[in-house]
Amino acid sequence: SRPEGCGRELRAIRPRDAALVAGSTRGATAGECRKGGFERGAAEIDYGADPAKAKPLSDQVFRIIDGIKSTPVDQSYIERAQATERSAYEAAMQDNGFWVQNLKNLSFYGRPFDDILTYPDLIKGLTAEKVRETAQKLLDEKRYVRVILYPAD
């Protein structure tokens, strides 16, 4: 699962700062993280940028996160995220790799195999309030790692 809202805002940074090459978000459910020792869950936000601009971009990301934590995202973003996830899920189901990877993950996390088929229900259940609550829980500005990779030159 992904913390929806962050990716949408990171994409909004791109036109204002040509240094930002790509942005993405990824989240792990609390159940997945418990298996790996993380009790609260985990979220990942990454983007490519000129290393000299990393600090201002990080500051902007934290301002966006603060906004998501305090104010529910607009319903139009939720609807777009639902449509995107539904479409991606339906397309992925046609690929054998989707089934292999998901069955491996479900086995590893001790989950029933038919959980693969419950994803559409999770998509339907996504709300702006759930996004805000998840952001408050997972996106703690006191618990983060910032990594800056510099060119080899």
Side-chain angles (χ1 to χ4, degrees), residues 6-148:
C6 297
R8 146 211 38 122
E9 294 287 357
L10 285 176
R11 286 189 295 275
I13 296 172
R14 201 171 301 145
R16 285 180 262 159
D17 193 326
L20 187 59
V21 177
S24 68
T25 59
R26 181 192 175 285
T29 65
E32 290 172 333
C33 290
R34 273 193 292 277
K35 182 76 172 186
F38 300 100
E39 291 300 321
R40 297 183 61 213
E44 176 183 309
I45 300 170
D46 55 51
Y47 50 87
D50 175 341
K53 296 189 178 188
K55 173 77 169 106
L57 286 171
S58 291
D59 291 346
Q60 189 170 359
V61 168
F62 279 110
R63 283 192 299 276
I64 291 165
I65 288 170
D66 287 342
I68 292 169
K69 288 166 56 175
S70 64
T71 307
V73 296
D74 187 78
Q75 185 61 30
S76 66
Y77 292 116
I78 299 298
E79 291 166 5
R80 264 197 320 223
Q82 288 171 319
T84 299
E85 288 297 314
R86 196 171 30 255
S87 176
Y89 173 77
E90 290 166 0
M93 288 181 70
Q94 305 304 311
D95 180 32
N96 285 338
F98 166 85
W99 293 98
V100 170
Q101 187 61 45
N102 278 284
L103 290 171
K104 283 173 37 181
N105 286 342
L106 290 168
S107 176
F108 180 79
Y109 295 118
R111 307 282 312 218
F113 290 140
D114 61 358
D115 272 7
I116 294 172
L117 304 175
T118 64
Y119 192 64
D121 294 331
L122 292 173
I123 295 169
K124 285 181 200 170
L126 182 65
T127 66
E129 186 57 28
K130 285 182 182 176
V131 171
R132 188 182 70 76
E133 289 171 1
T134 301
Q136 289 174 337
K137 184 172 152 184
L138 296 182
L139 303 176
D140 183 350
E141 63 276 356
K142 294 179 184 138
R143 297 179 52 139
Y144 75 94
V145 175
R146 181 189 335 213
V147 176
I148 301 171

